[in-house]
Amino acid sequence: MNTTELFLVAMLIVFTVPYLVWRLGRTDYWAPLVVVQIIAGILLGPGVLGAALPGYYQTIFTPAVITALNGVAWWAVMLFVWIAGIELDLTQAWKYRRESGITAGLALCVPLLLGSAAAVAMLATSGWIGPKAMTWQFVLGVGMSCAVTALPILILLMEKLDILRQPVGQRILRYASLDDIAIWGVLALILMEWERVGRQLAFIVVYAALSLALRWVMQRVPERDRWYLGLIWLAACGLGADWCGLHFMVGAFLAGASLDSHWFDQKQMDLLRHHVLLVVMPVFFLSTGLRTNWEVGGAAVFIVAAWLLVASVAGKLIGVHIAGRVLKWQPGEASLIGWLLQTKALIMIIFANVLLDKQIITSETFTALLLMAVASTMLTTPVVTPMLARLKGVLARAS
């Protein structure tokens, strides 16, 4: 078979296997389709399918096919992160800045500290820290991976639970939005390369100047032109950020964050997010799975993943409960919010992909982080659903 045919066989696998598992297995309650797609990507990777059927795996996933899949995956994830940046609205967070600052700060810092402690312990054995990482980069990167909340996945989950437009849903969005800013800020700090600092400063200056110019133009053109200009801006920011060493995903987020969501029709934006998830993000999940590695030993990877999961879940819950005590929330309110903020999936996987690209973590650490992200996301719906039934009064509280 030629490369085109092998690519289409890979695409057939990408879309068929997760859909059949999700639909026939009726997994939606504990594993939405997006989670099933991530798990399928892991299973189709070299550590599972590649180990079980090496000949079959090497026949389909040739270097040329993997290169083609990676190209689709890069653009898919750039679009997804760009949309997340556009939808970032800090107006309400500023309006309720005391509550939002306390809650978001504790929900981020406590799991960051526990995750960083776990990372320090991981340094005691080889195989986890990347060849180009300084110790602080590895520790901070793993710690932040434990603290991440995936804002886009959180939106999808709250839509499914029918609480997105309710007061409690809007409150949670405020907390997650602030954490989202911190996540990308920390990633930019980790990726700062002192030998390329001149390039990075030049990028920031040019980005700031062009952002102001673009904002002026965007307010004076029809909406149909804004979509085209936004995509041109996305490609330019991705190129500039990658050129200076900050990674194209940081550029994608900056491209979105510099635009205002009210410049775009909300229904069209929701549809675009849905279509990106439906049409191209499954390719990203597969390409992510192809990067997993179990060479340090499957048991060791699972043990580290469980360790990181405990740090992540416990840290988030402890942080939100402390905030609840400070802000005098109702009983049960902190648990509900803490569990909803557990959703990691996409953003943490994107974050970990960047760390792997820059060789700050190894593929074994990446695999452990991936397993942790999937597990924390799968826990959310089964835990939160019965809570919502018990805490109807909390849903009506606006702040």
Side-chain angles (χ1 to χ4, degrees):
M1 300 178 75
N2 60 38
T3 299
T4 302
E5 291 167 344
L6 289 174
F7 174 79
L8 292 175
V9 169
M11 294 293 282
L12 188 63
I13 294 171
V14 166
F15 286 97
T16 304
V17 174
Y19 173 76
L20 290 177
V21 171
W22 172 70
R23 178 53 68 197
L24 299 179
R26 299 180 179 180
T27 67
D28 207 39
Y29 179 71
W30 50 273
L33 179 58
V34 63
V35 174
V36 176
Q37 289 169 332
I38 295 169
I39 295 172
I42 297 171
L43 297 178
L44 292 170
V48 181
L49 178 63
L53 301 168
Y56 177 71
Y57 175 83
Q58 292 167 9
T59 299
I60 295 177
F61 296 104
T62 63
V65 170
I66 291 175
T67 299
L69 290 171
N70 284 341
V72 176
W74 293 338
W75 185 244
V77 76
M78 284 181 71
L79 283 169
F80 193 83
V81 173
W82 177 67
I83 294 168
I86 292 174
E87 293 183 328
L88 191 64
D89 184 4
L90 299 179
T91 305
Q92 290 298 308
W94 177 253
K95 182 178 179 181
Y96 299 100
R97 51 190 174 276
R98 178 176 179 271
E99 183 212 10
S100 298
I102 291 172
T103 306
L106 289 167
L108 186 78
C109 290
V110 178
L112 171 61
L113 291 173
L114 293 182
S116 297
V120 170
M122 291 167 66
L123 291 171
T125 57
S126 61
W128 304 109
I129 185 170
K132 292 187 177 179
M134 290 186 280
T135 301
W136 72 268
Q137 290 175 308
F138 175 79
V139 171
L140 185 57
V142 173
M144 185 56 74
S145 297
C146 292
V148 165
T149 294
L151 182 60
I153 296 302
L154 179 61
I155 291 172
L156 294 174
L157 176 61
M158 291 199 296
E159 280 181 338
K160 177 185 171 185
L161 295 171
D162 198 28
I163 61 171
L164 178 61
R165 304 304 174 191
Q166 297 188 41
V168 69
Q170 295 302 299
R171 290 172 57 202
I172 294 169
L173 282 183
R174 297 200 303 267
Y175 311 149
S177 295
L178 289 176
D179 284 351
D180 213 32
I181 291 286
I183 289 161
W184 292 102
V186 167
L187 181 59
L189 175 64
I190 292 172
L191 299 181
M192 185 70 71
E193 298 179 20
W194 297 111
E195 64 273 16
R196 301 174 75 179
V197 70
R199 280 192 177 193
Q200 292 171 344
L201 289 174
F203 167 72
I204 292 170
V205 171
V206 173
Y207 164 79
L210 291 180
S211 292
L212 293 174
L214 180 67
R215 289 180 62 83
W216 184 88
V217 172
M218 286 292 234
Q219 296 176 69
R220 289 162 175 79
V221 298
E223 185 183 348
R224 65 179 181 274
D225 291 310
R226 292 172 186 165
W227 291 102
Y228 288 105
L229 290 172
L231 292 173
I232 294 169
W233 179 235
L234 167 62
C237 286
L239 174 61
D242 214 63
W243 168 79
C244 75
L246 287 177
H247 203 276
F248 63 84
M249 290 190 203
V250 175
F253 177 77
L254 291 173
S258 59
L259 304 178
D260 290 349
S261 59
H262 64 81
W263 291 341
F264 304 90
D265 182 84
Q266 186 60 55
K267 289 184 179 179
Q268 289 191 30
M269 186 63 72
D270 291 342
L271 280 174
L272 178 59
R273 187 190 335 108
H274 171 76
H275 291 148
V276 168
L277 278 170
L278 175 68
V279 176
V280 286
M281 281 303 284
V283 181
F284 170 71
F285 301 141
L286 175 64
S287 68
T288 295
L290 296 178
R291 309 179 80 181
T292 55
N293 196 310
W294 312 82
E295 287 184 2
V296 298
V301 171
F302 277 106
I303 290 170
V304 169
W307 195 350
L308 295 172
L309 179 64
V310 170
S312 172
V313 173
K316 192 73 73 175
L317 291 174
I318 291 170
V320 176
H321 273 85
I322 294 173
R325 285 183 173 273
V326 172
L327 298 168
K328 297 180 172 57
W329 287 350
Q330 300 174 29
E333 198 170 351
S335 294
L336 174 66
I337 293 172
W339 277 105
L340 282 168
L341 291 174
Q342 294 295 343
T343 52
K344 299 187 184 306
L346 286 181
I347 296 301
M348 202 236 71
I349 294 170
I350 292 168
F351 187 89
N353 263 284
V354 176
L355 298 180
L356 182 61
D357 282 345
K358 295 297 183 179
Q359 299 184 57
I360 292 169
I361 61 174
T362 62
S363 53
E364 290 84 359
T365 304
F366 175 77
T367 305
L369 290 172
L370 190 61
L371 293 173
M372 180 269 284
V374 170
S376 67
T377 304
M378 289 177 65
L379 284 170
T380 304
T381 299
V383 173
V384 166
T385 301
M387 282 186 182
L388 289 173
R390 296 194 304 267
L391 299 171
K392 292 181 179 179
V394 172
L395 303 182
R397 199 173 77 81
S399 62

